[in-house]
Amino acid sequence: MFIDISGSKEGTWFQFRMSEIDPNNGDIIWSEPIEGHEVKIRSMKPFFEERIAKREKETIWKVHPKSRAYEPHTQFKELSVEEARAERDDAFDYAITGLKGFKNKTTRELYPCIREVKLGLMAFDFFDRFFADCQQKVDSQQVEMEEKETKNSVTGLNFVNSKPNQE
């Protein structure tokens, strides 16, 4: 059996393209894809599902407006600014799994696909817009695949007999 370890991280390759905001109406203007520049992106949904499952919860007792009785309300504990920033950075690091063609301006060497480089790219507005556009495409593609699986599965069909057996 042959395994390609370099391709083990999941994701979809997208050709990178620049963007700018139209000052007249605020719309995003996309340029043509830049030859040789690609970014491999995967959905952040599994990352946040895992984080939320592990997140600490707290219960607050509130008075019900009609009955005036105390009721428990469970919610996730709020993250501090530093914790929220760290989680956002972890999510970007998780979602970007590959870079091709991005070079250092001074050394002309290719940037490796490491956390510092990913977060540095996300600091640019044009890259943030590109990333958000790719995330929408990845997530909508995932939803379409889940809908197809549901339609094709036996559990997705309703086999319940509406009339009881009359014997």
Side-chain angles (χ1 to χ4, degrees):
M1 176 164 54
F2 298 100
I3 299 173
D4 181 12
I5 295 176
S6 64
S8 64
K9 289 190 176 179
E10 59 193 58
T12 304
W13 285 103
F14 291 93
Q15 286 188 307
F16 178 73
R17 55 189 181 150
M18 295 290 290
S19 66
E20 59 185 66
I21 303 294
D22 185 345
N24 298 323
N25 58 14
D27 290 343
I28 298 173
I29 301 170
W30 293 101
S31 68
E32 291 298 314
I34 299 172
E35 187 74 29
H37 290 70
E38 295 181 21
V39 182
K40 192 174 188 182
I41 296 176
R42 62 181 166 181
S43 175
M44 293 194 297
K45 185 178 176 182
F47 172 83
F48 283 114
E49 286 174 348
E50 180 183 320
R51 286 289 176 106
I52 288 172
K54 293 178 181 177
R55 190 161 295 155
E56 197 175 320
K57 294 180 183 178
E58 61 186 6
T59 302
I60 299 172
W61 290 85
K62 295 182 179 181
V63 177
H64 189 276
K66 291 184 181 178
S67 69
R68 305 303 295 164
Y70 279 103
E71 295 180 345
H73 291 269
T74 304
Q75 61 189 29
F76 291 109
K77 189 175 181 182
E78 282 193 42
L79 299 176
S80 69
V81 174
E82 295 81 23
E83 290 171 328
R85 188 174 293 130
E87 186 171 81
R88 181 202 62 199
D89 291 349
D90 290 345
F92 292 149
D93 186 35
Y94 171 86
I96 301 171
T97 59
L99 295 171
K100 288 183 184 175
F102 290 87
K103 294 183 179 182
N104 185 315
K105 189 175 183 177
T106 55
T107 64
R108 304 283 189 224
E109 294 179 10
L110 286 173
Y111 276 118
C113 187
I114 59 173
R115 182 181 176 90
E116 292 77 24
V117 172
K118 297 174 195 179
L119 298 180
L121 287 170
M122 288 302 298
F124 293 109
D125 289 340
F126 61 84
F127 194 86
D128 189 35
R129 285 190 293 269
F130 168 76
F131 178 80
D133 185 52
C134 294
Q135 274 296 310
Q136 283 183 326
K137 287 179 175 67
V138 167
D139 287 340
S140 65
Q141 186 180 45
Q142 205 171 31
V143 167
E144 288 174 10
M145 287 173 46
E146 288 172 2
E147 286 175 354
K148 284 180 185 177
E149 287 176 8
T150 303
K151 286 180 183 176
N152 293 334
S153 72
V154 174
T155 58
L157 300 174
N158 187 4
F159 285 111
V160 177
N161 193 356
S162 60
K163 294 182 182 178
N165 288 338
Q166 298 174 354
E167 293 180 12

